[in-house]
Short mmCIF file of all heavy atoms in Angstrom, two decimals:
data_model
loop_
_atom_site.label_atom_id
_atom_site.label_comp_id
_atom_site.label_asym_id
_atom_site.label_seq_id
_atom_site.Cartn_x
_atom_site.Cartn_y
_atom_site.Cartn_z
N GLY Y 10 -17.56 72.00 0.74
CA GLY Y 10 -17.11 70.84 -0.02
C GLY Y 10 -17.84 69.56 0.48
O GLY Y 10 -18.99 69.55 0.86
N ASN Y 11 -16.98 68.45 0.41
CA ASN Y 11 -17.60 67.12 0.77
C ASN Y 11 -18.18 67.15 2.13
O ASN Y 11 -19.32 66.48 2.41
CB ASN Y 11 -16.51 66.11 0.78
CG ASN Y 11 -16.03 65.83 -0.70
OD1 ASN Y 11 -16.77 65.92 -1.59
ND2 ASN Y 11 -14.77 65.43 -0.83
N MET Y 12 -17.57 67.85 3.14
CA MET Y 12 -18.10 67.85 4.49
C MET Y 12 -19.02 69.07 4.70
O MET Y 12 -20.10 68.97 5.23
CB MET Y 12 -16.90 67.95 5.50
CG MET Y 12 -16.11 66.65 5.50
SD MET Y 12 -16.90 65.16 6.18
CE MET Y 12 -17.07 65.60 7.85
N PHE Y 30 -19.93 80.74 1.06
CA PHE Y 30 -18.87 81.04 0.12
C PHE Y 30 -17.98 79.91 -0.02
O PHE Y 30 -17.57 79.24 0.93
CB PHE Y 30 -18.11 82.29 0.51
CG PHE Y 30 -16.92 82.54 -0.44
CD1 PHE Y 30 -17.13 82.91 -1.77
CD2 PHE Y 30 -15.66 82.41 0.06
CE1 PHE Y 30 -16.02 83.01 -2.60
CE2 PHE Y 30 -14.49 82.54 -0.77
CZ PHE Y 30 -14.74 82.83 -2.11
N ASP Y 31 -17.57 79.60 -1.28
CA ASP Y 31 -16.61 78.50 -1.61
C ASP Y 31 -15.89 78.96 -2.91
O ASP Y 31 -16.54 79.65 -3.72
CB ASP Y 31 -17.28 77.21 -1.79
CG ASP Y 31 -16.31 76.05 -1.75
OD1 ASP Y 31 -15.47 75.90 -2.62
OD2 ASP Y 31 -16.36 75.25 -0.76
N LEU Y 32 -14.66 78.56 -3.11
CA LEU Y 32 -13.99 78.86 -4.38
C LEU Y 32 -14.66 78.03 -5.48
O LEU Y 32 -14.49 78.37 -6.69
CB LEU Y 32 -12.47 78.45 -4.21
CG LEU Y 32 -11.74 79.22 -3.15
CD1 LEU Y 32 -10.26 78.74 -3.06
CD2 LEU Y 32 -11.79 80.75 -3.38
N MET Y 64 -15.33 75.22 7.02
CA MET Y 64 -14.95 73.82 6.89
C MET Y 64 -14.02 73.80 5.66
O MET Y 64 -14.40 73.47 4.58
CB MET Y 64 -16.14 72.94 6.64
CG MET Y 64 -15.87 71.46 6.71
SD MET Y 64 -15.02 71.06 8.26
CE MET Y 64 -15.40 69.35 8.44
N LEU Y 65 -12.75 74.13 5.98
CA LEU Y 65 -11.75 74.34 4.94
C LEU Y 65 -10.69 73.26 4.96
O LEU Y 65 -10.53 72.59 6.05
CB LEU Y 65 -11.11 75.71 5.17
CG LEU Y 65 -12.10 76.84 4.94
CD1 LEU Y 65 -11.56 78.19 5.52
CD2 LEU Y 65 -12.38 77.00 3.38
N PRO Y 66 -9.81 73.11 3.92
CA PRO Y 66 -8.93 71.95 3.97
C PRO Y 66 -7.87 71.98 5.08
O PRO Y 66 -7.67 71.08 5.80
CB PRO Y 66 -8.30 71.98 2.58
CG PRO Y 66 -9.30 72.69 1.74
CD PRO Y 66 -9.95 73.74 2.63
N THR Y 97 -10.01 70.45 10.08
CA THR Y 97 -9.01 69.79 10.94
C THR Y 97 -7.67 70.52 10.61
O THR Y 97 -7.14 70.48 9.39
CB THR Y 97 -8.83 68.30 10.55
OG1 THR Y 97 -9.98 67.67 10.74
CG2 THR Y 97 -7.74 67.66 11.40
N GLY Y 125 -16.89 61.52 9.20
CA GLY Y 125 -16.80 61.46 7.74
C GLY Y 125 -18.00 62.01 6.99
O GLY Y 125 -18.91 62.67 7.67
N LYS Y 247 -2.23 63.71 6.10
CA LYS Y 247 -2.27 65.14 6.58
C LYS Y 247 -2.39 65.09 8.08
O LYS Y 247 -1.70 65.79 8.86
CB LYS Y 247 -3.53 65.83 5.99
CG LYS Y 247 -3.77 67.14 6.57
CD LYS Y 247 -5.14 67.67 6.21
CE LYS Y 247 -5.80 68.34 7.29
NZ LYS Y 247 -7.19 68.85 7.05
P1 NAD Z 401 -13.15 69.38 0.46
O1 NAD Z 401 -11.91 69.60 -0.33
O2 NAD Z 401 -14.23 68.54 -0.11
O3 NAD Z 401 -13.78 70.77 0.86
C1 NAD Z 401 -13.17 71.96 1.21
C2 NAD Z 401 -13.81 73.07 0.43
O4 NAD Z 401 -13.08 74.30 0.81
C3 NAD Z 401 -13.65 72.96 -1.11
O5 NAD Z 401 -14.99 73.05 -1.64
C4 NAD Z 401 -12.78 74.13 -1.51
O6 NAD Z 401 -13.11 74.74 -2.72
C5 NAD Z 401 -13.07 75.13 -0.36
N1 NAD Z 401 -12.06 76.13 -0.16
C6 NAD Z 401 -10.64 76.07 -0.16
N2 NAD Z 401 -10.20 77.18 0.12
C7 NAD Z 401 -11.16 78.09 0.31
C8 NAD Z 401 -11.20 79.48 0.60
N3 NAD Z 401 -10.03 80.18 0.71
N4 NAD Z 401 -12.33 80.09 0.68
C9 NAD Z 401 -13.48 79.40 0.53
N5 NAD Z 401 -13.57 78.11 0.17
C10 NAD Z 401 -12.42 77.43 0.10
O7 NAD Z 401 -12.64 68.75 1.87
P2 NAD Z 401 -13.58 68.10 2.97
O8 NAD Z 401 -13.43 66.62 2.82
O9 NAD Z 401 -14.91 68.70 3.05
O10 NAD Z 401 -12.69 68.40 4.30
C11 NAD Z 401 -12.72 69.68 4.96
C12 NAD Z 401 -12.04 69.52 6.28
O11 NAD Z 401 -12.75 68.54 7.02
C13 NAD Z 401 -10.63 69.13 6.25
O12 NAD Z 401 -9.88 69.83 7.18
C14 NAD Z 401 -10.59 67.66 6.53
O13 NAD Z 401 -9.39 67.15 7.11
C15 NAD Z 401 -11.76 67.55 7.55
N6 NAD Z 401 -12.36 66.26 7.67
C16 NAD Z 401 -12.78 65.56 6.54
C17 NAD Z 401 -13.37 64.32 6.68
C18 NAD Z 401 -13.80 63.51 5.47
O14 NAD Z 401 -14.10 62.31 5.65
N7 NAD Z 401 -13.78 64.11 4.32
C19 NAD Z 401 -13.60 63.81 7.99
C20 NAD Z 401 -13.22 64.53 9.13
C21 NAD Z 401 -12.58 65.79 8.94
#
Side-chain angles (χ1 to χ4, degrees):
N11 290 330
M12 294 292 291
F30 172 66
D31 194 293
L32 299 178
M64 192 49 159
L65 295 163
T97 302
K247 173 194 138 183

